[in-house]
């Protein structure tokens, strides 16, 4: 069966050292790539993710900040809480001389 072949392949990659530690045995040509990925790329990704999570965790509502950042970035705009207001295209400013209309007298709230 196929699962036996997969198990045999995985077992052929395992090497038992004299101290009893199980290590993976790779082809020598792939060791350089694995060393670069595990030694340089992966720590950089972990560091960047930790910075982003730390930035969001500082705020009272981290999930709201996440969506307030991601949604403008998805539309190609800079997030206003990071880069300042006025950078997004959207609702125009309300004129200074405009006054709100009074609420209806028979309005009911649910």
């Amino acid at each position: 069966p196929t699962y036996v072949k997969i198990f045999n392949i995985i077992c052929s990659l395992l090497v038992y050292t004299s101290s009893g530690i199980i290590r993976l045995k790779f082809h020598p040509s792939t060791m350089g790539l694995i060393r670069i990925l595990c030694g340089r790329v992966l720590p950089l990704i972990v560091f960047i993710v930790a910075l982003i999570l730390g930035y969001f965790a500082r705020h009272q509502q981290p999930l709201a900040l996440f969506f307030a950042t991601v949604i403008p970035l998805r539309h190609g705009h800079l997030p206003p809480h990071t880069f300042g207001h006025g950078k997004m295209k959207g609702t125009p400013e309300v004129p200074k001389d405009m006054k709100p209309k009074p609420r209806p007298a028979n309005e009911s709230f649910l």
Side-chain angles (χ1 to χ4, degrees):
T2 307
Y3 64 88
V4 174
K5 291 179 183 177
I6 294 172
F7 181 76
N8 288 335
I9 291 171
I10 292 172
C11 288
S12 68
L13 291 175
L14 297 177
V15 176
Y16 296 95
T17 61
S18 60
S19 61
I21 298 173
I22 299 173
R23 297 178 60 189
L24 287 174
K25 176 177 61 174
F26 292 104
H27 193 272
S29 64
T30 61
M31 282 306 293
L33 178 64
I34 292 172
R35 184 174 291 132
I36 289 172
L37 286 177
C38 293
R40 296 182 186 233
V41 176
L42 189 61
L44 181 63
I45 291 172
V46 169
F47 180 71
I48 290 171
V49 168
L51 282 177
I52 291 170
L53 289 177
Y55 174 73
F56 287 127
R58 287 185 348 194
H59 293 73
Q60 281 184 334
Q61 298 174 331
L63 193 59
L65 181 65
F66 172 76
F67 286 114
T69 303
V70 170
I71 291 173
L73 287 175
R74 284 185 53 204
H75 292 98
H77 304 295
L78 297 175
H81 62 85
T82 306
F83 294 98
H85 293 284
K87 304 290 184 188
M88 290 183 60
K89 298 174 187 169
T91 308
E93 293 275 335
V94 177
K96 302 263 186 224
D97 60 340
M98 187 177 255
K99 302 286 182 205
K101 292 182 180 179
R103 305 298 300 179
N106 57 358
E107 181 178 19
S108 62
F109 294 100
L110 298 177

